Amino acid sequence: MRHLLAACLILVTALPVWAGARHTVLMDVLKVRELSSILHEEGIKFGATLNRDWLDGQGGPAWSQQVTRIYDPERISEGIRAGLEPALEGELLEDAIAFFASDLGLRIISLENAARRAMSDPAIEEQARAQYAARQGTNDTRLVQINRMITEGDLVNRNVTSALNSNYQFLRALVDGDVYTMSDEEILEDVLSERDDIAADTSSWLGAFLTLAYSPLSNEELTLYADFATTPAGKALNAGLFAGFDPLYEDISYALGRAMALNLAAEEL
C-alpha cells in the first residue's frame, strides 16, 4: 500500500510540471518573448511621450530608467503566461500548440510581430489605416475574414475596456500621488468621457494592423486562420491573452502614474 501511495504521489506531483512544460511550448510557438520585447520598445516610446507632454521633456535619465523597469520584458512575458495557463489546458492547449506550431501558425505569428514593429512608424501606421478605411463597405473577401476575426473575438470592446481600465489606473495613481484631488466617481467619469474616441481609434488601428499583418497570406490561409480563431481553442487563446494583458497593463499604468507623480513632485521642490 505504501509503494502504491508513493507512485500515486509521483504521478500527481508530475502533472503540474508536465502542464507547465506544455505551456512553455505554447509560449514558444506564440513567440511571446519576441512580443514582450516589442511591447517593451513601445513602452519606452510611450514613456518618451509622457516625458514630453507631462514633464516638458525634463524627465532625464531617472525617468527613462523608471519607464524601462516598468516595461520589463520578463514581467510582460510572465503576465501573458499568467493569463494563458488557466485559460488553456488539456485538449484546448494541445489544439492551440498544434496550430501555431504548424508552418502557417508560425508564419502568422512572425507576420503579426513584424506588423506590430512596422506600425511603430507613424507613416506606416497612417498608410495602413488609410488602406483599411478604403476597403470598408466593399465586398473584399480578405476584409470579410478580418472583420470576422474582430467581431468573433470581440476585439474592439475588449481592447477598449482594457484601455479604459489602464487610463483609470493611471489617473488613480496620480490622485494617490497628490497630483490631483478627485473621487473615484470623478476619475471614472473622466475616463468614460473618452470611450467613444478610444473605440473609434481602436477599431481603425485593429483593422489596419490585421490588414497589414496578413497581407502576405493567401485568401485560403487567411480563411483557415479565421476558422481557427472561432474554434474553442482559438476563443480560449483569445480570452487567455486578454486575461493576461488586462491586469498586466493596469499594473503598468498605475506604476507609470506613481512614477509620474514622484517626478512632478520633484519638479516643485
Side-chain angles (χ1 to χ4, degrees), residues 146-155:
I146 287 171
N147 285 340
R148 176 185 166 203
M149 284 189 282
I150 292 173
T151 301
E152 291 289 337
D154 197 24
L155 298 184

Side-chain angles (χ1 to χ4, degrees), residues 68-100:
T68 298
R69 285 196 299 270
I70 290 170
Y71 283 98
D72 175 54
E74 189 65 29
R75 175 189 187 184
I76 294 173
S77 291
E78 289 306 312
I80 295 172
R81 181 169 186 144
L84 290 175
E85 284 190 344
L88 287 135
E89 297 178 339
E91 186 176 345
L92 295 178
L93 175 60
E94 296 307 320
D95 287 349
I97 290 174
F99 181 84
F100 288 103

Side-chain angles (χ1 to χ4, degrees), residues 140-159:
D140 186 297
T141 56
R142 302 179 66 79
L143 184 64
V144 169
Q145 297 302 329
I146 287 171
N147 285 340
R148 176 185 166 203
M149 284 189 282
I150 292 173
T151 301
E152 291 289 337
D154 197 24
L155 298 184
V156 174
N157 287 331
R158 286 178 183 268
N159 276 285

